[in-house]
Amino acid sequence: MQRTAWKYYPRQQDHNTEQNREKSPACVQLQLMMSSSFNIFRVGISVVIMCIFYKSAVDSLSELSPQKYFSTLQPGKASLAYFCQADSPRTSIFLEELNEAITPLQDYGISVAKVNCVKEETSRYCGKEEDLMKAYLFRGNILLREFPTDVLFDVNAIVAHVLFALLFNEVKYITTLEDLQNIENALKGKANIAFSYVRAIGTPEHRAVMEAAFVYGTTYQFVLTTETALLESIGNEDIENAHLYFFHCKQVLDLTLQCRRTLMEQPLTTLNIHQFIKTMEAPLLTEVTEDPQQVSTVHLQLGLPLVFIVSQQATYEADRRTAEWVAWRLLGKAGVLLLLRDSLEVDIPQHSNVIFRRAEEGVPVEFLVLDDIDSLISHVESNVHIEEIQEDEDEDTKSPNMDVQDDEVAETVYRDRKRPLPLELTVELTEETFNTTVVASDSIVLFYAGWQAVSMAFLQSYIDLAIKLKGTSTMLLTRVNCADWSDLCTKQNVTEFPVVKMYKEGKNPVSYVGMLGTEDLLKFIQLSRISCPVNITSVQEAEEYLSGELYKDLISYSSVSVLGLFSPNMTTAKEDFTEAGNYLKGYAITGIYSEEDVLILSDKYAATLPALLLSRHKEGKIESIPLANSHAQDIIQIITNALLETFPEITVENLPIYLRLQKPLLILFSDGSINPQYKKAILMLVKEKHLDSLTPCWLNLKNTPVGRGILQSYFDTMPPLPLLVVVNLHSGGQVFAFPSDQAITEQNLLLWLKKLEAGLENHITILPAQEWKPPLPAYDFLSMMDAAASQHPTRKDPECTKEMDVQENDKKQHEDKSAIIKEPIETLRIKHWNRSNWFKEGEKSFRHDNKEL
Amino acid sequence: MRLAAAARLWGPPGLLLTFALHPALCLRPARTAAPPHRDYCVLGAGPAGLQMAYFLQRAGRDYAVFERAPRPGSFFARYPRHRRLISINKRHTGKANAEFNLRHDWNSLLSHDPQLLFRHYSRAYFPDAGDMVRYLGDFADRLRLRVLYNTTIAHVTLDKDRQAWNGHYFILTDQTGQAHRCSVLLVATGLWVPNQVDFPGSEHVEGYESVSVDPKDFEGQNVLILGRGNSAFETAENILGVTNFIHMLSRSRVRLSWATHYVGDLRAINNGLLDTYQLKSLDGLLESDLTDLAVVKDHEGKFHITLKFFLEESNQSADAITLPQDDNDNFAMRVAYDRVIRCLGWKFDFSIFNKSLRLSSSGEFSKKYPLVKASYESKGSRGLFVLGTASHSVDYRKSAGGFIHGFRYTVRAVHRLLEHRHHHVPWPSTEHPISQLTNSIVRRVNEASGLYQMFSVLADVILLKENATAFEYLEEFPMQMLAQLETITGRKAQHGLFVINMEYGRNFSGPDKDVFFYDRSVGHTEDAWQSNFLHPVIYYYRHLPTEQEVRFRPADWALPRPTAIHHIVEDFLTDWTAPVGHILPLRRFLENCLDTDLRSFYAEAMKVGAAPLIITGLAAVTRQK
């Protein structure tokens, strides 16, 4: 498609947006492109990560010689040592992971060391070759186990393996259902069991279980398996995830009965297991007679809510049975208490049978009236999930998340959705009021759709305009919401949003096609006040018109006044000019003069009739252009070109107009206003027609700070300013820089341009012909449907819809990740809010199936 | 043809001119021998015929509607017998959007006149059939549609002629023997011939079309109703409180419309009998093939049910005929009935069409309908289109094409097809820059009534222009004709296309499904493809599918397999404008199909470099003139 022109770097923070929103929500639909910048950003992150590793490596891993190491070993203390060649590289992936493991292992009283095998002091633990190096676990100076380094692939594996070896007696590893039944039978009436399934040894879940076993190993019998068949045989099909069951065997006195089992529903993390076991330890049901607000149990400390079943003496037995039943079902999710209404001093509403107290402090208790146990359970469950939501957040940021609003217009509109707009400053029109209103008064009508972001952003600008024009304009500012008045909009030929039209009595509406911002719309409204073209009736009036006197207040909106000169009999030419004038209504000041004495003017300005006079008020110049045989379209073109400046300051807003000329840009980058010398030099070149094949312009970095980013992408470092470059956008994409050691003079420039033309200059960079790519992939519903059709488990991973090769796809995903990281926090929060709710729904149904085991 | 030219200047003067000319035209045949000619002949001034007349008139075409009754809508003058229509007349939706409101207006025809909305004719949610007759009469009168009343077309034949648009003319002969010659024949006669089953004793059976509607006539009687459609239940509903019991007999199981989301199945408003049956009253439902039955009248005038098989066995007197209970003493229908009522629906009247038209029935499962293509054109003769209820074979038991709220759109589609075929007026479309792509879709899926009512039959089509910088938007195209899109519409589909359809979830509904199952709604955008309730689905094709691909598409698919597909997640309010839940995933889908970025940016943000950007060539900062 089109060639890349300017590059910018991704924003690091979001603080700009709010500000901009306040300033001017001039909303444009500018096509942008971001992928190449992402690469840079990603590199930045990995550098940071490397630094962290390097730093910790220096700080904490003790490096010892074998002799020294063995002398430090204390009886009964465990120690993990990695033996390596002294001359081996100082860093490796394994060492990085080992470093990570130092602190967690120290928490369990296990020291970690790196032992350098120097030649003089050989040890039998020192391998011969680099790849035979191993880590060894000692208790005192007794070797417990040796680990090949590839078993200890990451910090989780290191901690898990070490604890697994040390807790050999406390954690029973089993492979069959029979093993499990034997253990169960042996412990009935004696102790409870914590049985867990992990997919593999060394996984984060395995580590979590081992860490729990380190703490609780003496209280409960820990049993571990990696056998999927065993998990399935106790009725759990979800072999993809790790699971932990608590077997309530201690209270089973009848050996023929099975131990009750409670499945831990949270993911297996050390903290979750700790919390789960704590709740298993807590009494199943507590009877209380105090104010529910004052009661405290271990559940509250663990962030779990309390459920009070309200009972009274008369129904005590039945209530207690109910409460026990509820307690079993809520085990691990909430604390259940039986509250005796009769002996309570606090008032409880008459009909409420359940009191729900959240773990958060200061939240008042809820008095509920529930019909059955199921509704009680679901009430509790729907409130418990708030906890888990926060845990999900980490994971979310890792995968490319397509729910992130990356359209800044949509994002700000969404964020401001609750801020009321002072809509009363504009008149809302309906199907009934529209026709009468636009006939009765000159009106600007904004056609918009309430659901469309750009519309709503522009509505804000429109209101700003209404504030600005309040009491000064005869123009009525009105709006039509096409989401409500669809037929009206269709009748007015509005098929896209937003659209602004001006209705002046008895005339066809004029569509506004400028920028969607307050300033530009204001200009349009002001310039539309006069007819286009204005009929000039005398030579004197024509002179006033040309000098800018006639429409003084409009000169600030258009620096050029156009006057068509015709003999009274040039009917066709006049019609063409009038048509062109009508077309440019709101964008240009045009006038027409065709009185008998028109020759006075044509003689004075050396024009051959029919002709155009262009009065450039800024420069105080009047030029003439012959119009012979020019059709309306040609005249429009002539005037449009005339409105362009010869050496404009380029801004984000006007860039596209100049790009439309399809010529290479000669840009002078300037920090602040332009040096008049340079300006003079370039204007001279323009005058001498040396720059006809270029679009000369300049960019003020103070007004358009983004220019810095552009320069940085042209040069690797920020070059000294001012700087002149030629950017060949439309063919080739080469960027040439005027040598910074030369003065910007007419002669030097001319010489340089000649060399450029002759192909003697080397370009400093070529802008890649990048296209405008989708910022993120879409859901691949087709694959999901295929997967479902072939009865495989549905794949919900976001995938790119496009068929592309794997490599490209991979690259894309990477880029996406970095894109996510730089997203403003606010949008992330919106996304999480949505996500979490969805998770909640999804999990609820999942839970129902796995309830009783 | 003069007519066409005159009416093209649409507006009141044009209208007058048209009617001034009209009588002159009618007089012409009297003077000449050739039958009077019309470009378009519409058979029947029911809702579909009037709807077509409206479009033809608006387009300034030469047409006439032939109606045998003195007023429009004669079917509704008689049916439903108990006068309550089961098409909803929802007068309030809380929205001003007229197009959206048509989604919940099942009785109005399409017109430009807001006075001609059915809600001005009745306040009842289930309106009286008399109001429909009045409405149709007003529709024809106010719009001055050219209807020839009291004209019964008794015979239709073909007259081959190379000059004719379709290679032949249709010759219509009325009751007076007057012939009419037509270039295009639009059959909107509906289904009006009552279905009858031929079995011994069927002469004892009363028909729905003539049975008494006065409950007093059923006081204390045992009633057997044959049939299981809305007319059967409507009849039962009327007499439920006065009979001893009602038994209802039909071949198939009852299909509940809220389980099938097909409005032609049994509507909850008529299902009082189901309620009492399941609550152990004496009423009940039975299943049996009616063609195996026989009805025997005993000496007391009561009716006994037996099998045809027993009658064939021996030729005995009425009281001695073997009854099923003789062998099987707990046979369900062993009681004697006072009345047997037939409510078996209606079928198309094939009898007036000459064999040369090759207008045949639609096959075993929809025998009552004539066979048509997805464009509603007869498979047998070019230029013959079937409109309205009779065209329902296209979407029988699927969508709403057999009902006013559905066929008013399919009639419009047929008219658009004809406009292009005979008058070189391409299918209406609007052209937009690609930046409006998401907007166009969001707008339509939120308000379009044709897409909503004729889900999975009519779909919007977006035709991309070269390099996907712009697109054309075509509304309500018969999606099964997708392969023929270019010839039907006169638009080019060379650079890829999107099809916007509305669909229910694949496995959601059906006659025996529990549509109220727990967790039936999908909320997560990632699971949108599993949505159960009606939701928008967007298909993307790089190339127009071929006829083969459309015909041999995978089972359960509304269209051939696309390059990519997007489901907008179902919404409880059918309001698909949530910025993150609906619009954002749609934008991502469109972006990835087109391999482009469709976001909007603030100019201010770019000035300070807040957005990472590279401005490409002719970026549309200002929309170009």
Side-chain angles (χ1 to χ4, degrees), chain B residues 295-359:
Chain B
V295 172
V296 182
K297 190 175 185 180
D298 69 12
H299 60 279
E300 287 173 18
K302 302 227 174 197
F303 303 110
H304 296 269
I305 302 301
T306 185
L307 300 173
K308 202 192 267 180
F309 167 73
F310 290 140
L311 288 185
E312 284 159 3
E313 238 174 21
S314 54
N315 210 350
Q316 294 157 319
S317 70
D319 287 337
I321 285 171
T322 318
L323 297 174
Q325 54 264 41
D326 297 345
D327 284 338
N328 196 354
D329 61 7
N330 63 348
F331 175 60
M333 288 183 287
R334 58 187 181 274
V335 289
Y337 295 98
D338 297 299
R339 276 168 187 265
V340 182
I341 307 168
R342 158 178 57 74
C343 305
L344 297 171
W346 297 267
K347 60 187 179 192
F348 182 73
D349 181 12
F350 287 95
S351 68
I352 62 168
F353 298 96
N354 185 283
K355 276 214 177 69
S356 60
L357 276 83
R358 293 186 293 164
L359 192 65

Side-chain angles (χ1 to χ4, degrees), chain A residues 645-848:
Chain A
E645 293 175 50
T646 40
F647 184 50
E649 179 191 339
I650 223 74
T651 61
V652 172
E653 290 88 346
N654 69 14
L655 172 70
I657 304 169
Y658 289 96
L659 280 179
R660 216 173 288 164
L661 299 173
Q662 299 269 334
K663 292 180 194 168
L665 296 174
L666 172 74
I667 316 174
L668 179 69
F669 286 87
S670 172
D671 197 10
S673 344
I674 189 169
N675 183 329
Q677 293 284 320
Y678 305 157
K679 188 172 178 174
K680 209 174 133 197
I682 290 174
L683 283 176
M684 195 59 91
L685 286 174
V686 172
K687 203 175 169 190
E688 288 164 10
K689 310 248 177 231
H690 292 301
L691 299 182
D692 283 358
S693 60
L694 298 170
T695 304
C697 56
W698 67 286
L699 191 145
N700 186 344
L701 290 177
K702 289 240 160 69
N703 295 339
T704 313
V706 78
R708 269 176 218 286
I710 298 166
L711 282 175
Q712 264 160 7
S713 71
Y714 290 173
F715 306 86
D716 287 331
T717 53
M718 190 68 189
L721 292 175
L723 181 83
L724 239 168
V725 294
V726 166
V727 187
N728 191 357
L729 276 178
H730 300 284
S731 55
Q734 303 97 333
V735 179
F736 303 91
F738 182 72
S740 56
D741 50 359
Q742 288 186 28
I744 303 177
T745 63
E746 200 188 322
Q747 265 167 343
N748 287 347
L749 257 174
L750 191 60
L751 208 64
W752 182 66
L753 288 171
K754 286 241 164 81
K755 273 167 56 186
L756 209 72
E757 208 174 333
L760 298 173
E761 282 289 318
N762 288 329
H763 55 79
I764 49 164
T765 184
I766 293 187
L767 299 176
Q770 274 160 327
E771 284 174 29
W772 194 299
K773 297 286 183 189
L776 281 178
Y779 294 120
D780 187 358
F781 288 137
L782 207 52
S783 312
M784 293 184 199
M785 291 160 87
D786 286 348
S790 61
Q791 306 217 309
H792 290 307
T794 52
R795 198 158 47 99
K796 287 183 186 171
D797 297 4
E799 286 261 323
C800 195
T801 318
K802 294 291 289 189
E803 295 157 16
M804 52 172 74
D805 63 49
V806 179
Q807 206 181 350
E808 200 184 336
N809 207 341
D810 268 356
K811 191 174 126 211
K812 205 162 189 126
Q813 302 266 338
H814 280 291
E815 286 168 6
D816 296 335
K817 279 180 198 172
S818 44
I820 295 299
I821 293 162
K822 69 155 197 74
E823 275 308 317
I825 292 152
E826 228 141 344
T827 45
L828 283 178
R829 205 179 310 130
I830 292 168
K831 173 204 66 175
H832 281 142
W833 182 81
N834 284 325
R835 268 242 151 162
S836 326
N837 279 351
W838 289 328
F839 268 121
K840 213 190 307 188
E841 280 181 12
E843 273 180 26
K844 208 190 285 175
S845 57
F846 169 75
R847 264 147 209 267
H848 279 282

Side-chain angles (χ1 to χ4, degrees), chain A residues 69-90:
Chain A
Y69 172 68
F70 286 111
S71 70
T72 61
L73 294 181
Q74 295 164 14
K77 288 280 267 180
S79 169
L80 180 70
Y82 171 56
F83 286 74
C84 65
Q85 302 288 0
D87 51 357
S88 65
R90 292 179 61 87

Side-chain angles (χ1 to χ4, degrees), chain A residues 481-544:
Chain A
N481 187 349
C482 294
D484 289 334
W485 308 105
S486 190
D487 288 353
L488 170 61
C489 296
T490 310
K491 266 181 221 152
Q492 295 303 316
N493 210 10
V494 173
T495 53
E496 43 197 67
F497 312 114
V499 164
V500 175
K501 290 191 179 208
M502 179 181 290
Y503 293 79
K504 279 194 158 182
E505 24 120 23
K507 286 183 191 154
N508 288 334
V510 180
S511 290
Y512 170 71
V513 293
M515 287 266 283
L516 301 177
T518 310
E519 288 305 319
D520 291 70
L521 185 56
L522 179 65
K523 175 180 161 183
F524 173 76
I525 292 174
Q526 298 292 22
L527 290 180
S528 299
R529 278 181 8 217
I530 53 168
S531 50
C532 204
V534 183
N535 206 12
I536 307 286
T537 49
S538 70
V539 172
Q540 194 197 347
E541 198 188 3
E543 294 288 6
E544 277 172 24

Side-chain angles (χ1 to χ4, degrees), chain A residues 171-441:
Chain A
V171 180
K172 287 217 160 71
Y173 181 81
I174 61 165
T175 53
T176 64
L177 184 61
E178 205 185 345
D179 294 341
L180 183 63
Q181 281 161 349
N182 288 341
I183 296 171
E184 204 177 322
N185 285 333
L187 290 176
K188 277 177 189 162
K190 296 185 186 109
N192 294 327
I193 300 172
F195 166 68
S196 48
Y197 158 84
V198 293
R199 288 184 66 196
I201 300 297
T203 56
E205 293 79 17
H206 179 215
R207 171 183 168 180
V209 172
M210 295 321 301
E211 288 184 304
F214 194 91
V215 179
Y216 296 103
T218 50
T219 323
Y220 306 107
Q221 178 62 57
F222 275 75
V223 179
L224 182 75
T225 190
T226 52
E227 294 297 321
T228 53
L230 177 51
L231 184 71
E232 281 165 356
S233 66
I234 66 166
N236 193 330
E237 302 280 311
D238 178 23
I239 57 165
E240 294 295 312
N241 293 308
H243 299 282
L244 191 142
Y245 287 94
F246 195 85
F247 287 24
H248 304 265
C249 291
K250 197 172 181 178
Q251 55 198 269
V252 181
L253 299 174
D254 181 348
L255 293 185
T256 59
L257 290 180
Q258 237 196 359
C259 306
R260 244 180 212 277
R261 295 167 185 177
T262 308
L263 172 65
M264 174 175 152
E265 288 178 355
Q266 290 83 10
L268 264 65
T269 65
T270 312
L271 201 66
N272 284 345
I273 297 176
H274 168 75
Q275 174 171 331
F276 178 70
I277 289 179
K278 278 282 174 207
T279 57
M280 294 300 115
E281 283 175 339
L284 183 67
L285 182 67
T286 317
E287 283 186 32
V288 288
T289 52
E290 318 157 49
D291 177 1
Q293 198 72 62
Q294 305 304 324
V295 175
S296 177
T297 73
V298 66
H299 299 96
L300 285 182
Q301 291 151 25
L302 294 171
L304 295 176
L306 294 183
V307 175
F308 297 84
I309 309 288
V310 181
S311 174
Q312 44 202 341
Q313 214 59 52
T315 57
Y316 173 76
E317 279 305 318
D319 291 338
R320 189 175 166 88
R321 272 198 302 277
T322 309
E324 264 177 32
W325 172 239
V326 171
W328 274 114
R329 291 193 59 181
L330 288 177
L331 194 56
K333 292 170 205 145
V336 179
L337 303 96
L338 193 66
L339 184 72
L340 285 169
R341 191 193 280 269
D342 313 289
S343 47
L344 196 67
E345 284 170 9
V346 195
D347 262 358
I348 296 175
Q350 193 58 43
H351 296 291
S352 77
N353 51 8
V354 172
I355 301 172
F356 185 68
R357 178 168 164 205
R358 288 166 199 277
E360 297 85 5
E361 256 180 79
V363 182
V365 297
E366 294 169 41
F367 295 97
L368 306 172
V369 184
L370 295 171
D371 295 335
D372 53 42
I373 292 177
D374 283 335
S375 53
L376 167 58
I377 305 285
S378 63
H379 180 85
V380 174
E381 285 183 345
S382 59
N383 282 292
V384 166
H385 288 291
I386 300 159
E387 293 287 310
E388 291 169 30
I389 288 156
Q390 282 142 8
E391 285 182 21
D392 292 332
E393 284 197 330
D394 268 356
E395 272 172 52
D396 275 0
T397 46
K398 281 177 197 157
S399 62
N401 194 319
M402 291 172 276
D403 300 334
V404 182
Q405 182 61 272
D406 51 3
D407 182 309
E408 60 183 33
V409 178
E411 184 211 316
T412 49
V413 168
Y414 185 74
R415 194 183 50 206
D416 295 343
R417 69 195 181 283
K418 290 190 177 163
R419 184 191 297 174
L421 284 174
L423 289 172
E424 64 280 0
L425 292 170
T426 57
V427 181
E428 181 173 18
L429 300 183
T430 68
E431 221 146 61
E432 287 84 46
T433 58
F434 180 84
N435 283 323
T436 48
T437 309
V438 299
V439 167
S441 54

